[in-house]
Amino acid sequence: MDGTQMEGRGAALTARYGAGAEPKAGPWNDTIALLLSHRSVRGYRPDPVPDGTLETLVAAAQSAATSSNLQTWSVVAVDDPAVRKELAEVAGNQKHIEQCPLFLVFLADTSRNARLAQAEGTELAGLPFLESFLVASIDAALAAQNAVVAAESLGLANVYIGALRNDVTRVARLLGLPPGVAPVFGLCVGYAAEGREGEVKPRLPQAAVLHRERYDADDAGHRAAYDPRMAAFSARHEMAADSWTKRVIARLGTMKALHGRDRLKDALVALGFPLR
């Protein structure tokens, strides 16, 4: 590794963890540098993405691991401005859903395998269980993250939209989803607007998430070290609930903060996931 690469590695680790909190430096390459540079972007130029980008991102997504090769996920590319407007409303009026040139909704999808069983004249006894929905959701997340990395390698920005789960019933209606299909999250893709490029958000110290041999629940010191870094990040971006501690409490401290997701289980059952 030459001096430039070493300098870049150090800068990337500092950006992700904060000065003085960097983990031990190890092997490095352009792929790792790209992964560490990830940031959420919530403002997009109207410029379209190059022709074939959607198909390339889906190819990358389909190259992700999938449990037992069941491939229990799908994705809907949404172009209709009226539908996007309603999806933005579901997600708390996040206008970047309407702005971005490419908007994708990733789905947990057990319906394809259900149709397979019907065509083959058999029954999938394991399909109605929570495990099947969990596998489908994990499949969708793995696929989407592959798409995100592929997009960023092409110079495209992105942000996940978990708030589509505020009203999965409405999203299912808007997208014409059959039983056994549910939205897991959305994904905005496009070119960052000037001044909206985002910043690498600091993460917890590695010692808070990396355990060796046995889980160590003594993490108060890690949180105390992390809170000021998140507070500084929040101040730079004029965000409320400045420290990580305050953010967690604000996000999970009240039922209101769930924005309807406290009813998610019943909605999923109605969408064709018995969750036994």
Side-chain angles (χ1 to χ4, degrees):
M1 185 186 303
D2 61 30
T4 300
Q5 287 177 312
M6 291 178 65
E7 183 178 341
R9 177 181 66 180
L13 291 170
T14 298
R16 183 55 73 193
Y17 292 99
E22 302 92 340
K24 179 181 179 180
W28 195 258
N29 58 33
D30 291 344
T31 301
I32 297 170
L34 177 68
L35 290 168
L36 265 72
S37 71
H38 171 75
R39 73 282 307 277
S40 295
V41 171
R42 294 178 173 84
Y44 295 87
R45 305 200 311 254
D47 312 50
V49 297
D51 187 45
T53 296
L54 171 61
E55 291 78 7
T56 296
L57 298 187
V58 172
Q62 287 192 280
S63 298
T66 168
S67 181
S68 301
N69 201 32
L70 292 174
Q71 304 183 66
T72 48
W73 68 276
S74 292
V75 60
V76 177
V78 183
D79 292 325
D80 187 328
V83 175
R84 286 222 206 173
K85 185 176 187 299
E86 287 203 51
L87 292 174
E89 290 172 359
V90 169
N93 295 311
Q94 296 188 51
K95 294 301 182 183
H96 35 281
I97 294 174
E98 299 179 70
Q99 274 183 349
C100 64
L102 180 60
F103 185 66
L104 307 175
V105 180
F106 281 84
L107 312 167
D109 185 357
T110 61
S111 74
R112 187 163 44 243
N113 291 348
R115 291 191 295 274
L116 176 155
Q118 184 177 24
E120 295 297 317
T122 189
E123 180 184 357
L124 300 178
L127 202 60
F129 289 87
L130 173 63
E131 164 69 2
S132 293
F133 175 74
L134 184 61
V135 163
S137 298
I138 293 171
D139 268 12
L142 293 174
Q145 187 59 19
N146 256 30
V148 161
V149 175
E152 291 179 345
S153 76
L154 297 171
L156 294 165
N158 56 79
V159 64
Y160 282 107
I161 309 292
L164 288 188
R165 296 191 301 278
N166 290 352
D167 191 343
V168 294
T169 304
R170 185 177 177 188
V171 175
R173 176 180 57 78
L174 286 168
L175 303 184
L177 304 184
V181 186
V184 182
F185 45 75
L187 182 68
C188 295
V189 180
Y191 296 104
E194 186 175 356
R196 303 298 301 276
E197 296 85 355
E199 178 185 347
V200 172
K201 184 180 292 184
R203 298 291 198 233
L204 284 163
Q206 276 200 6
V209 301
L210 172 60
H211 306 275
R212 300 183 185 274
E213 309 303 340
R214 296 179 64 83
Y215 191 99
D216 180 7
D218 184 15
D219 57 10
H222 303 316
R223 179 161 60 88
Y226 180 56
D227 268 345
R229 291 195 285 273
M230 268 308 305
F233 177 91
S234 298
R236 288 194 298 274
H237 295 275
E238 300 179 353
M239 293 178 175
D242 57 351
S243 71
W244 187 67
T245 296
K246 290 181 179 179
R247 282 170 174 253
V248 171
I249 293 171
R251 177 63 181 80
L252 300 173
T254 66
M255 296 293 285
K256 183 180 179 181
L258 289 174
H259 298 289
R261 283 177 250 182
D262 50 302
R263 300 184 294 275
L264 181 58
K265 180 181 177 182
D266 291 340
L268 289 172
V269 171
L271 290 179
F273 294 92
L275 304 180
R276 293 177 189 166

